[in-house]
Amino acid sequence: MSRGQNRARCGCAEIYPRPVGVLAIFMYVGGEVSVGSTIISFLGQPTVAGLAPVEASKYVSLFWGGMLIGRFMAALN
């Protein structure tokens, strides 16, 4: 099998591992930050929880603390 035929069978992550990894981390961090940023406005909606921004900000710290703990737990595996 020639080298060109081998490349045709490989996935994008096998051919270009670094750019695909950078794109994946960029998308992951973007999603994480957007969720963390919208928690206060989401919890402030009357149909959801109707919390004041000061009360809802406590849940943002729980979110980021949970993300931190999750990362530490993932590093142990």
Side-chain angles (χ1 to χ4, degrees):
M1 205 181 290
S2 71
R3 185 177 177 154
Q5 289 174 342
N6 237 358
R7 287 190 136 202
R9 291 185 169 184
C10 292
C12 182
E14 293 173 353
I15 298 172
Y16 307 106
R18 186 164 297 142
V20 172
V22 167
L23 180 65
I25 289 175
F26 179 77
M27 299 293 284
Y28 173 77
V29 170
E32 180 181 79
V33 169
S34 66
V35 168
S37 299
T38 58
I39 289 176
I40 293 178
S41 61
F42 179 72
L43 292 176
Q45 292 179 1
T47 57
V48 177
L51 296 176
V54 174
E55 293 175 20
S57 66
K58 296 174 185 173
Y59 291 97
V60 175
S61 62
L62 287 175
F63 169 76
W64 288 113
M67 294 297 288
L68 178 70
I69 291 170
R71 286 187 178 145
F72 282 137
M73 291 176 64
L76 296 177
N77 287 332

